[in-house]
Amino acid sequence: MADRERKLMSEGVVTYAYILLYIALSSGQIFFNKWVLSSKEINFPYPLALTLLHMVFSSVLCFVLTKVLKIMKVEEGMTLDIYISSVIPIGAMFAMTLWLGNTAYLYISVSFAQMLKAIMPVAVFILGVAAGLEMMSCRMLLIMSVISFGVLVASYGEININWVGVIYQMGGVVGEALRLIFMEILVKRKGLKLNPISVMYYVSPCSALCLLVPWIFLEKPKMDEQLTWTFHPLVLTLNCICTFALNLSVFLVISHTSALTIRVAGVVKDWVVVLLSALLFADTKLTLINLCGYAIAIAGVAAYNSHKLKKEASRVSSDESQDSSSIPLVSSATSNV
């Protein structure tokens, strides 16, 4: 009995350690990116180049870990058809999300960018309805209205609003919503199952290529002309390592806990980022209207998460009951991408 209690306690400690690691890495990476991009700090104001570095670093590290050192394994099952029809669109949207999201930090504060991200469920729902993955209902319309109203209130309370930054952030939100939709349509329905390192092994090179083309035309000429920016190899390498570690921590939390846990941890992380940014950055000025609007939006996000998790639990139980009564002709696998 004592051994069982010790085992449960150790598992609980490990679980909370993974959650805290995810919150720390996720929050820290946001602040780290802002610090690197800020002209008042590291002065590397090239978000496209920074994102490209992240993807190239991830691609090289995944290759070394799997093909050179062989300490990790890439899951089999990837075909040329799946790569072209699934991985490329997902990689392109992932690149778009990171690029536009990092660019927004040049124009708006970290806290305001985080508040705007709360509109994500609305974008996912609208695109899901358009793609036939979601059903329109009065309950979902109410939830979407609450989130939208909260984001509008938070935006109204922003002192120094910059619409260029808002547009970039909204573009990043749309990119992330499209990525989630593509994952639902192109990967899950094909029964492709990949471990975390496999996901980065396949997606990172594709995202890097998608970023390389616009970087050559948009940022490379500026970098060649302007000599005021500085390149810090050690700082940028540490930034890339943190990004890679963050991607792994997300999958560690999901694999050791549940979808509900990662969603709750995400909400906690959002509040940590909003409040800490007011202490760390001079361009962040939180107002009471800001916080009230964000609280309303987060309440809507919580309702959305609860609805989605209940729907997922119902679908899983339905699938299990069908499996117990019949033998499927083709075995399926749930993707953990």
Side-chain angles (χ1 to χ4, degrees):
M1 190 69 179
D3 292 338
R4 184 180 179 184
E5 290 180 355
R6 280 196 294 269
K7 183 179 179 180
L8 291 174
M9 184 177 296
S10 63
E11 290 178 352
V13 170
V14 171
T15 298
Y16 281 111
Y18 282 137
I19 294 172
L20 291 176
L21 177 65
Y22 160 72
I23 293 175
L25 286 173
S26 184
S27 305
Q29 186 62 38
I30 292 173
F31 296 139
F32 202 168
N33 287 345
K34 174 71 172 180
W35 187 58
V36 170
L37 294 169
S38 176
S39 59
K40 298 179 181 179
E41 303 295 342
I42 295 300
N43 190 28
F44 186 76
Y46 300 103
L48 185 50
L50 181 64
T51 309
L52 177 59
L53 280 175
H54 290 165
M55 292 299 101
V56 171
F57 181 87
S58 179
S59 302
V60 172
L61 188 56
C62 286
F63 180 80
V64 171
L65 292 175
T66 57
K67 301 301 181 181
V68 180
L69 300 179
K70 296 183 178 180
I71 59 177
M72 293 184 177
K73 181 182 177 182
V74 176
E75 296 288 339
E76 298 179 355
M78 180 62 66
T79 64
L80 181 61
D81 175 66
I82 293 177
Y83 192 87
I84 293 174
S85 63
S86 302
V87 176
I88 291 179
I90 292 171
M93 290 303 102
F94 188 47
M96 174 182 170
T97 299
L98 297 176
W99 168 23
L100 298 181
N102 284 332
T103 304
Y105 292 143
L106 296 177
Y107 301 94
I108 58 179
S109 66
V110 171
S111 62
F112 187 45
Q114 206 66 30
M115 292 177 187
L116 292 176
K117 286 180 183 178
I119 203 72
M120 176 69 69
V122 178
V124 173
F125 178 71
I126 292 174
L127 291 173
V129 171
L133 300 175
E134 297 279 359
M135 294 293 295
M136 189 69 72
S137 66
C138 293
R139 181 177 181 181
M140 288 303 294
L141 282 175
L142 177 60
I143 292 174
M144 296 302 110
S145 299
V146 170
I147 296 175
S148 300
F149 176 72
V151 172
L152 285 174
V153 172
S155 301
Y156 180 77
E158 182 68 11
I159 297 175
N160 300 314
I161 189 168
N162 186 309
W163 290 107
V164 175
V166 172
I167 292 172
Y168 274 118
Q169 187 61 57
M170 289 297 98
V173 168
V174 172
E176 177 65 8
L178 286 172
R179 185 182 73 88
L180 295 174
I181 295 297
F182 283 150
M183 287 178 65
E184 181 72 26
I185 295 175
L186 303 176
V187 177
K188 288 188 177 181
R189 290 185 179 182
K190 293 184 179 181
L192 185 64
K193 185 176 182 180
L194 300 174
N195 59 30
I197 200 69
S198 298
V199 174
M200 288 185 280
Y201 178 84
Y202 289 118
V203 173
S204 296
C206 177
S207 297
L209 186 60
C210 292
L211 291 166
L212 178 62
V213 176
W215 174 75
I216 292 175
F217 293 100
L218 297 178
E219 282 192 354
K220 187 177 183 300
K222 296 179 182 179
M223 297 176 74
D224 293 337
E225 293 176 4
Q226 298 178 6
L227 301 177
T228 56
W229 62 279
T230 54
F231 186 85
H232 299 270
L234 180 59
V235 172
L236 294 176
T237 300
L238 288 174
N239 187 263
C240 291
I241 292 173
C242 288
T243 301
F244 187 85
L246 171 60
N247 291 332
L248 283 180
S249 72
V250 172
F251 293 105
L252 283 173
V253 172
I254 293 175
S255 62
H256 283 80
T257 56
S258 64
L260 175 61
T261 303
I262 193 66
R263 289 171 187 265
V264 172
V267 172
V268 173
K269 180 265 298 181
D270 292 342
W271 275 107
V272 169
V273 170
V274 168
L275 297 177
L276 280 182
S277 62
L279 300 175
L280 297 176
F281 298 104
D283 64 345
T284 300
K285 304 294 181 183
L286 294 178
T287 65
L288 183 60
I289 298 178
N290 268 148
L291 295 175
C292 289
Y294 189 53
I296 294 171
I298 288 298
V301 171
Y304 172 81
N305 289 340
S306 175
H307 175 78
K308 293 292 290 183
L309 289 169
K310 288 180 181 178
K311 184 178 178 180
E312 182 68 18
S314 176
R315 184 188 65 81
V316 171
S317 62
S318 176
D319 290 344
E320 289 177 350
S321 64
Q322 290 178 1
D323 291 340
S324 63
S325 60
S326 62
I327 302 175
L329 296 176
V330 180
S331 62
S332 61
T334 303
S335 171
N336 62 352
V337 176

